[in-house]
Amino acid sequence: MYRLIMAIRPDALPIDPSALTEMVLALDAENEKLRVAMQTLEEMIFGKRS
């Protein structure tokens, strides 16, 4: 699994399609975790919407 610490540079992207797929799926999973964290923080600050 890819751990992205720095910004992705185009010249650093893997050429192998399966490696690119793995990278995209890892980024999508990380984005989902961040969306959930943001939603949780917003609910803590502003309360749940009715």
Side-chain angles (χ1 to χ4, degrees):
M1 183 173 176
Y2 283 93
R3 284 301 276 170
L4 302 172
I5 298 171
M6 300 176 69
I8 301 171
R9 296 186 330 258
D11 59 338
L13 290 173
I15 296 172
D16 180 39
S18 62
L20 284 169
T21 301
E22 183 180 338
M23 182 182 274
V24 168
L25 293 174
L27 288 169
D28 188 52
E30 183 68 22
N31 282 341
E32 184 58 30
K33 288 179 189 176
L34 292 171
R35 280 188 210 103
V36 170
M38 284 181 58
Q39 181 179 2
T40 301
L41 289 171
E42 286 176 352
E43 288 173 358
M44 289 172 65
I45 294 169
F46 302 111
K48 287 192 175 196
R49 294 183 181 184
S50 58

